[in-house]
Amino acid sequence: MRSTQLITGALAVVATSSLFGSGTAAYAGEPTTTNEKGILLECSGTWRGEEVYASLYENNTYGNTIQIVIADGDVAGGLRETTKAFKDGRDVRGVLKLKGKKAVVEGTARAVGKKTPVHEEHDDAGQHITIDGTHRRLANDLTLTWKGTSVPLDCDNAFVYDLQVTKESTVD
């Protein structure tokens, strides 16, 4: 359980730093705004009896991240940042080396349904961050292949996003 909490915390840090940038603070009175577009596919599955977490995250402003964790990291786990997109049209492919062997998340994903409005405000690292935009669900069919075994992935948290992110210093 402790390793699950550590991994979840690490994922939150990675996702937040990717989503909101590397923490460069705006000067008082000078807000900065970026338009961030991308996808998030968070998936789970079972590989040879062990729980799997796989995440593909694209952000046009801050880059892309793939993460795969098997058995809370006890079997394998890794993270890689890249500028290469994981989604091309409907095709999805992300590759990461785990213990020297290629792990591949691949399949298809397409935007479906209506856009959902998003509004969020919070303070972080001396900045007030306001996020406005939309999410749209990604219907998907993905698998993970590692060490000769392919398994289906269930990606309940999967969406495409288009966000306007405004950061304003809370420090004088």
Side-chain angles (χ1 to χ4, degrees), residues 44-50 52 68 70 93-94 102-107 141-154:
S44 61
T46 304
W47 180 88
R48 296 184 183 174
E50 302 290 351
V52 170
I68 301 172
I70 301 174
R93 182 176 169 82
K102 188 187 313 184
V104 180
V105 174
E106 63 187 341
D141 183 14
L142 299 178
T143 60
L144 167 68
T145 303
W146 185 54
K147 290 188 169 183
T149 301
S150 293
V151 298
L153 294 173
D154 181 17

Side-chain angles (χ1 to χ4, degrees), residues 42-169:
E42 287 186 320
C43 311
S44 61
T46 304
W47 180 88
R48 296 184 183 174
E50 302 290 351
E51 290 184 23
V52 170
Y53 171 84
S55 172
L56 299 175
Y57 173 76
E58 289 184 12
N59 183 301
N60 68 316
T61 302
Y62 296 109
N64 310 320
T65 304
I66 180 173
Q67 181 171 27
I68 301 172
V69 179
I70 301 174
D72 291 334
D74 293 339
V75 172
L79 172 117
R80 181 172 66 87
E81 294 182 2
T82 181
T83 56
K84 185 176 179 184
F86 301 118
K87 186 172 178 299
D88 181 14
R90 289 187 176 188
D91 296 327
V92 175
R93 182 176 169 82
V95 179
L96 173 66
K97 286 248 181 167
L98 294 179
K99 293 193 170 183
K101 302 288 184 185
K102 188 187 313 184
V104 180
V105 174
E106 63 187 341
T108 60
R110 63 183 175 85
V112 296
K114 293 182 179 181
K115 292 180 180 178
T116 303
V118 173
H119 175 79
E120 200 177 306
E121 291 190 44
H122 65 275
D123 291 332
D124 183 37
Q127 297 179 10
H128 181 74
I129 301 170
T130 304
I131 302 168
D132 288 298
T134 60
H135 285 178
R136 189 170 175 205
R137 191 171 72 82
L138 281 175
N140 58 81
D141 183 14
L142 299 178
T143 60
L144 167 68
T145 303
W146 185 54
K147 290 188 169 183
T149 301
S150 293
V151 298
L153 294 173
D154 181 17
C155 308
D156 287 341
N157 191 20
F159 57 89
V160 60
Y161 62 89
D162 184 352
L163 306 171
Q164 182 175 326
V165 179
T166 302
K167 300 175 190 177
E168 187 169 4
S169 177

Side-chain angles (χ1 to χ4, degrees), residues 29-41:
E30 298 177 18
T32 59
T33 301
T34 56
N35 187 323
E36 300 179 25
K37 296 180 181 185
I39 64 165
L40 175 66
L41 290 154

